[in-house]
Amino acid sequence: MAQDYVKINIGPSHPAMHGTLRVIAETDGETIINAEPEIGYLHRGVEKLAESMTYHQFIPVTDRLNYCSAIPNNVAYEMAVEKLMGIEVPEKAQLIRVIMMELSRISDHIVCVGILGVDIGALTPFFYLFIQRETIYEMFEWYNGSRLTNTFGRIGGVEAPLFPGFEQKWIEFKPELMKAIDEMDKLLTHNRIWMDRTIGTTAFSAEDALNWGFTGPCLRACGVKRDLRRDEPYCMYDKFEFDIPVGKYGDVFDRYWVRMIEMYESIKIIDQAIEMYKALPDDAPLMAKVPKILKASEGEIYSAIESPNGELGFYLRGDGSDKPYRLKIRPPCYMVYQAFGELVNGEMVADLIACLSSLNVIAGELDR
Amino acid sequence: MQLLERIKGCLGGLIIDISEFHGDIAVEVDRFKIVEALTRLRDDESLSMNFLSDLFGLDNKAFYEKPKKKAKKGDAEGEEEEKPKELPPRFEVVYLLLSLKTNERMMVKIRVPEDDLEVSSVTSLYKAATWPEREAFDMFGIRFKGHPNLKRLLMWDDFPAYPLRKDYPLEGRGEERSLVYGD
């Protein structure tokens, strides 16, 4: 009977909800009959703000979208502006972008996988990985002074070469990171409790995922081999060798597993990128020739990159002035989170939290 | 065959305008035929645009008003250009499509006049349009006919304006001061 269902409100301020997310769930005992996510608690009107800022001024605002990995946001926006203006970025700057983006991808996956463990009850692996995340932030800090909101790069290139000793730092750090991921893998992947909690939880078919607009690890967990780094190569990604892990059932375990493997793949990419970076001369340009006042012609473009969460796209329309006429951000977790009701229907309340963590919904880019 | 030609072959007479800018193709179709156009693009063998990347609204008000100001500064041209009555419709809805088969992207857009803000929902074709359509309603007031749950998404339900319209001020109109909590 419908009147026997209990409506419970989870969030918007709740330790298990990531950021300010709110779900109104109708439950029959422990089983969820209907769940409706409500968003907008972190809405700051970023798109309206963009219309009153010049193209350069908007870069720091993009940090505040996905605050777990700000660098891919910066680069995605810069690449959109470069496409609108027709600017070619020098090779060296592209390699620095790749290295920074992949480091950022690792740190984002660490947050997602670590918090997923914490939410399900595995607190220990979280600490193993978060120590390594700290080192990655240290490397960002050495590069341009900021840890979380990086404001990395400029339109047309990057501001500085890699700091001296970057390679040494990476060589020292890599085994530590690999060890931490291995330890996480040993503690969780074949753990009986972990497997019982995650395998088969909120499974999703590939057709449904595509229909709902899933991208990134959530789509790959469903078995669709799609990665913009391979399918629509940007930043010289076509010159690197890496595998694209895919899952099969699209459940919490597959999402976790895809992210774990992707961390190893990112390490591979960074290794290759550093080799290519070293082969370039020291005085290779870092910036394309960019006019001091950027004015876009009348036209519209859409440019997307593979951010840690999936396809992060920017639609830009220029009107001849130095400000964008319209800017639309396509956040990856926005599309994933709208299917949340369908994902958790018929699951337990505790699985709702597991599902939410495995989707890696970041309120900053969700509400913009 | 080039994407542009395939789109022309698929949509045929539905195309009002087609443009290419830095490799991005944008097709304008009639707003009453959007469902038909998207169905054709999705089911066409050579295109199979089966993935809706995003959908959003756009306000052209400031864009249309800008050239007029410039014309006033000009000497003789200003007098001739004084027939602004035939402005194109104020709003646009842009659909970003992607083909997973051929890895190609395209934009489809429709123009929506200010006095009749109703267009057909495409949620029956792509479930991915559910929240973007709600957001377009929230930000521009464009109503999507046939949407399962058309209500505000990011702003609160009683919000009295459409904030991304160009005539809405950046700093707002102080709506938060009249916000009533609870009911």
Side-chain angles (χ1 to χ4, degrees):
Chain A
M1 295 291 280
Q3 64 263 37
D4 293 335
Y5 298 149
V6 179
K7 238 184 193 177
I8 53 165
N9 172 60
I10 311 167
S13 182
H14 186 276
M17 304 304 276
H18 299 204
T20 47
L21 304 171
R22 183 186 183 198
V23 179
I24 301 156
E26 259 181 275
T27 55
D28 180 11
E30 268 291 285
T31 315
I32 296 163
I33 303 296
N34 186 23
E36 199 194 328
E38 200 178 305
I39 67 167
Y41 290 93
L42 204 62
H43 180 57
R44 296 150 295 177
V46 163
E47 284 161 15
K48 183 85 180 173
L49 201 58
E51 289 166 12
S52 62
M53 289 174 137
T54 63
Y55 287 101
H56 282 298
Q57 281 172 340
F58 191 65
I59 299 176
V61 181
T62 57
D63 292 336
R64 277 83 183 162
L65 294 174
N66 184 347
Y67 35 72
C68 285
S69 55
I71 290 176
N73 296 282
N74 302 146
V75 176
Y77 171 70
E78 285 152 14
M79 277 174 58
V81 180
E82 282 152 11
K83 188 174 172 185
L84 182 67
M85 316 263 176
I87 298 169
E88 282 278 327
V89 180
E91 210 173 70
K92 196 169 178 180
Q94 291 191 4
L95 283 171
I96 296 173
R97 281 181 180 184
V98 167
I99 294 168
M100 289 298 175
M101 274 198 288
E102 292 306 319
L103 277 174
S104 192
R105 190 185 309 277
I106 295 171
S107 81
D108 191 272
H109 285 352
I110 285 175
V111 176
C112 177
V113 174
I115 306 261
L116 173 62
V118 172
D119 281 348
I120 300 185
L123 196 64
T124 318
F126 169 81
F127 293 118
Y128 287 157
L129 274 179
F130 262 57
I131 298 167
Q132 311 308 326
R133 178 172 173 258
E134 195 54 40
T135 317
I136 295 178
Y137 280 167
E138 219 164 73
M139 282 158 95
F140 292 159
E141 201 177 351
W142 285 8
Y143 180 74
N144 70 358
S146 33
R147 288 157 49 82
L148 273 145
T149 48
N150 298 86
T151 316
F152 168 80
R154 303 283 180 266
I155 292 162
V158 293
E159 65 270 39
L162 290 178
F163 55 85
F166 179 89
E167 202 203 349
Q168 190 54 35
K169 180 92 180 159
W170 172 247
I171 288 168
E172 283 164 18
F173 170 57
K174 197 176 107 181
E176 297 282 316
L177 177 66
M178 300 265 261
K179 200 177 142 205
I181 303 172
D182 285 344
E183 266 171 351
M184 179 103 173
D185 180 35
K186 276 180 205 157
L187 276 169
L188 290 181
T189 310
H190 297 290
N191 184 323
R192 186 75 250 160
I193 306 168
W194 180 263
M195 285 164 81
D196 284 348
R197 280 302 304 275
T198 55
I199 292 177
T201 309
T202 62
F204 217 49
S205 75
E207 292 82 55
D208 281 344
L210 289 173
N211 202 1
W212 276 109
F214 277 35
T215 46
C218 294
L219 178 65
R220 290 194 283 276
C222 299
V224 182
K225 200 168 189 172
R226 180 163 175 80
D227 191 321
L228 291 182
R229 289 178 291 174
R230 184 202 60 169
D231 293 326
E232 292 169 19
Y234 53 92
C235 278
M236 303 163 70
Y237 266 114
D238 45 345
K239 290 186 181 152
F240 300 113
E241 264 180 47
F242 60 101
D243 294 326
I244 299 158
V246 288
K248 200 172 175 188
Y249 304 106
D251 52 8
V252 175
F253 183 85
D254 280 354
R255 283 177 220 136
Y256 151 79
W257 186 239
V258 164
R259 286 202 166 90
M260 286 292 272
I261 305 289
E262 266 181 29
M263 285 197 255
Y264 291 110
E265 298 304 323
S266 291
I267 293 172
K268 266 198 232 168
I269 296 174
I270 295 172
D271 277 340
Q272 295 169 46
I274 288 179
E275 285 307 312
M276 284 164 80
Y277 179 83
K278 276 197 300 187
L280 289 175
D282 282 343
D283 56 347
L286 288 170
M287 285 284 288
K289 278 218 164 80
V290 179
K292 277 212 173 116
I293 297 167
L294 279 174
K295 280 190 178 172
S297 49
E298 284 174 23
E300 53 190 344
I301 57 105
Y302 176 74
S303 150
I305 69 158
E306 184 77 25
S307 84
N309 264 349
E311 180 184 324
L312 172 70
F314 280 85
Y315 168 90
L316 272 175
R317 175 178 287 190
D319 63 344
S321 71
D322 56 350
K323 293 173 181 130
Y325 183 75
R326 172 87 166 100
L327 178 138
K328 175 72 174 66
I329 304 155
R330 186 229 188 259
C333 63
Y334 180 70
M335 295 294 171
V336 176
Y337 195 47
Q338 61 175 332
F340 192 66
E342 202 159 292
L343 273 167
V344 296
N345 253 358
E347 305 278 347
M348 298 290 181
V349 176
D351 293 338
L352 183 148
I353 301 297
C355 176
L356 184 74
S357 323
S358 70
L359 297 177
N360 196 17
V361 180
I362 309 283
E365 69 174 356
L366 185 71
D367 296 347
R368 283 153 288 149
Chain B
M1 202 160 50
Q2 285 297 309
L3 177 63
L4 199 69
E5 286 156 31
R6 273 181 283 143
I7 293 168
K8 276 180 188 162
C10 168
L11 289 178
L14 286 178
I15 298 173
I16 294 175
D17 184 31
I18 188 161
S19 64
E20 192 171 353
F21 184 76
H22 287 309
D24 281 8
I25 293 171
V27 182
E28 192 192 326
V29 297
D30 188 85
R31 70 186 172 110
F32 297 110
K33 304 228 171 86
I34 182 65
V35 178
E36 191 194 337
L38 292 190
T39 315
R40 273 206 218 173
L41 287 169
R42 187 188 65 174
D43 297 339
D44 190 277
E45 279 288 305
S46 62
L47 287 164
S48 63
M49 294 284 172
N50 52 358
F51 190 91
L52 182 77
S53 209
D54 205 352
L55 180 169
F56 50 89
L58 206 155
D59 182 3
N60 274 321
K61 190 181 165 69
F63 190 63
Y64 293 149
E65 284 170 1
K66 210 181 72 170
K68 269 191 281 171
K69 284 176 197 163
K70 270 188 185 170
K72 273 176 195 166
K73 284 176 194 168
D75 317 346
E77 291 166 32
E79 290 162 27
E80 280 177 45
E81 281 183 23
E82 271 195 24
K83 19 179 183 172
K85 277 169 193 168
E86 278 302 301
L87 278 179
R90 178 173 167 186
F91 295 103
E92 273 178 40
V93 180
V94 183
Y95 301 78
L96 301 176
L97 297 177
L98 163 71
S99 162
L100 292 164
K101 201 163 105 185
T102 57
N103 257 326
E104 286 164 324
R105 288 177 190 276
M106 66 177 289
M107 296 182 206
V108 178
K109 56 181 166 181
I110 53 174
R111 288 183 193 275
V112 188
E114 202 175 353
D115 47 4
D116 182 14
L117 286 166
E118 195 161 85
V119 292
S120 299
S121 165
V122 296
T123 41
S124 53
L125 295 173
Y126 307 99
K127 281 179 178 167
T130 313
W131 276 10
E133 281 187 354
R134 276 177 69 184
E135 196 190 321
F137 166 70
D138 192 356
M139 296 296 163
F140 296 96
I142 299 162
R143 288 188 302 279
F144 292 87
K145 205 173 145 194
H147 189 282
N149 181 20
L150 193 67
K151 58 175 189 182
R152 284 185 180 271
L153 182 72
L154 295 172
M155 310 306 287
W156 61 95
D157 288 347
D158 304 329
F159 192 77
Y162 298 111
L164 266 181
R165 287 189 180 183
K166 288 284 178 184
D167 48 10
Y168 186 82
L170 176 67
E171 57 275 10
R173 295 195 186 115
E175 287 89 351
E176 71 280 359
R177 270 176 264 142
S178 59
L179 180 61
V180 182
Y181 290 95
D183 39 42

